[in-house]
Amino acid sequence: MQVYPWLQAGLTAFNTQLKAQQVAHAYLVGLDAGYGGEVFALNLAKAALCNQLSASGACGFCKACQLMEANNHPDFYQIEADGAQIKVDQIRGLCQKLTSTAQQGGRRVAVILNCERLNQAAANALPKTLEEPSKDSVLVLQANSPSRLMATISSRCQRLQVQLPSRADVKHWLTEQLNTTDDYSWCLPVVGGPLAIAAAIESGRYQSLLSYRKAWIQSLSSKQLCASLQTVNEKQVSDAIKVLYLVLHRKLLKDQTMEPMVRSSVATFAAKIMQQEIRLSVMPTINVLGLFEGIMLEYNQIMDG
């Protein structure tokens, strides 16, 4: 399993705890999958089960590591959302398994991926196991959005901090991985991490982001919504609005001739744009064309004074 450079310090800190026999019973990994949150959580599990832990983590060669590689370790449990949620029966079943004796004679380790997807009943079923863990059990909770977790869960877990890579680090990593001199890192705030950027390039999503950027720049310059933005659908609207925010942010940074009052209004407008994007997720239907025309109208009013 690949270890990304920005994850290594966190893994080393965990390895140090393992070697010192100072392992906590529960860890919270508040790291988005786009930055390797799931990979990080699974590497912690591999290290916790490894019989010959090395300085860099799991050895990869012992019986436990071989079982993990084959997805067949009897003392490892992985929980993911069943549909949109992690359900109470999944958590109850996991808690029961963690009370049994380890078949390999070591630890029992469980990983819950995207744990913010715990539904209310599942979230209520977990704190007792966190509060009164079974002997030699380790529970790793990975969350893309840790702020959405109940305090009764997050407060019972030790945090493992990961220093996120800077934009320059992301650019360097992508340059090496993709063997290119193109700078893809500009869309980092839109897609949420270097791994997500790589996936967006492969899927074709990145080309759409580029087209949105070009279209918004053209629209703001001409003060008219360009034709390509008039065909954006509900599934694409979130990406298009996030790109607009980046275009506005760049305009604030680059345009030194902008009057202070106009600059303040554009900054407020950009923040409002992102608030609108957050609300889109709970809206049953979206009139995309109407939304974009309203955005252009408000922007033109700001720029015209």
Side-chain angles (χ1 to χ4, degrees):
M1 186 180 296
Q2 185 174 3
V3 177
Y4 304 105
W6 56 89
L7 302 180
Q8 190 57 62
L11 292 171
T12 299
F14 182 68
N15 292 340
T16 301
Q17 293 185 18
L18 286 172
K19 290 180 177 180
Q21 298 295 317
Q22 295 177 341
V23 184
H25 63 273
Y27 291 89
L28 175 58
V29 177
L31 184 64
D32 190 276
Y35 282 96
E38 296 181 6
V39 173
F40 186 66
L42 292 172
N43 270 289
L44 296 179
K46 285 187 69 175
L49 290 166
C50 178
N51 298 324
Q52 300 175 31
L53 189 68
S54 68
S56 59
C59 71
F61 301 105
C62 69
K63 182 179 179 182
C65 285
Q66 292 298 309
L67 287 170
M68 284 293 286
E69 288 295 331
N71 295 316
N72 198 32
H73 198 299
D75 299 319
F76 171 69
Y77 316 103
Q78 181 174 319
I79 301 294
E80 304 180 64
D82 179 6
Q85 298 180 331
I86 298 173
K87 300 173 181 176
V88 65
D89 287 345
Q90 293 175 273
I91 297 303
R92 285 175 178 164
L94 172 64
C95 294
Q96 181 62 40
K97 289 174 182 176
L98 290 175
T99 63
S100 61
T101 302
Q103 294 185 40
Q104 294 295 308
R107 297 185 179 92
R108 283 149 301 141
V109 179
V111 171
I112 303 179
L113 298 177
N114 304 140
C115 62
E116 67 269 38
R117 294 190 180 185
L118 288 160
N119 66 23
Q120 189 67 45
N124 289 335
L126 191 56
K128 184 176 180 181
T129 294
L130 296 175
E131 187 73 31
E132 302 172 7
S134 304
K135 184 181 178 182
D136 293 326
S137 67
V138 177
L139 190 57
V140 181
L141 282 69
Q142 180 267 331
N144 291 335
S145 304
S147 60
R148 291 169 52 191
L149 274 180
M150 290 171 50
T152 51
I153 293 176
S154 58
S155 64
R156 288 169 168 80
C157 299
Q158 183 177 125
R159 291 286 187 121
L160 274 173
Q161 300 297 333
V162 174
Q163 183 66 44
L164 295 183
S166 66
R167 178 174 168 180
D169 291 335
V170 170
K171 180 180 177 181
H172 177 72
W173 183 79
L174 288 169
T175 297
E176 287 192 334
Q177 295 296 309
L178 303 174
N179 192 26
T180 179
T181 57
D182 292 339
D183 183 7
Y184 298 100
S185 64
W186 69 269
C187 69
L188 191 62
V190 178
V191 300
L195 306 187
I197 291 178
I201 294 168
E202 185 176 349
S203 68
R205 180 187 177 194
Y206 179 79
Q207 290 302 317
S208 296
L209 299 180
L210 273 181
S211 68
Y212 298 147
R213 184 171 67 166
K214 180 180 178 180
W216 280 121
I217 292 172
Q218 178 184 331
S219 297
L220 298 184
S221 176
S222 67
K223 296 187 177 182
Q224 293 185 336
L225 189 67
C226 70
S228 62
L229 288 172
Q230 296 177 29
T231 60
V232 171
N233 61 42
E234 291 188 22
K235 292 182 179 179
Q236 301 166 325
V237 65
S238 177
D239 275 357
I241 288 183
K242 287 178 181 177
V243 170
L244 170 60
Y245 175 82
L246 294 184
V247 169
L248 290 170
H249 183 66
R250 182 174 177 81
K251 183 176 180 65
L252 289 169
L253 290 176
K254 295 293 183 180
D255 190 350
Q256 299 301 319
T257 64
M258 196 181 298
E259 295 181 3
M261 288 296 292
V262 175
R263 179 178 296 277
S264 176
S265 295
V266 172
T268 301
F269 175 63
K272 180 180 176 182
I273 291 295
M274 285 309 295
Q275 291 172 355
Q276 284 182 318
E277 191 280 328
I278 293 170
R279 289 195 295 269
L280 292 178
S281 62
V282 296
M283 294 175 62
T285 58
I286 304 167
N287 180 353
V288 179
L289 181 57
L291 175 64
F292 286 1
E293 287 177 339
I295 286 172
M296 286 302 305
L297 177 62
E298 187 169 350
Y299 176 80
N300 290 337
Q301 288 173 342
I302 291 171
M303 300 308 292
D304 293 340

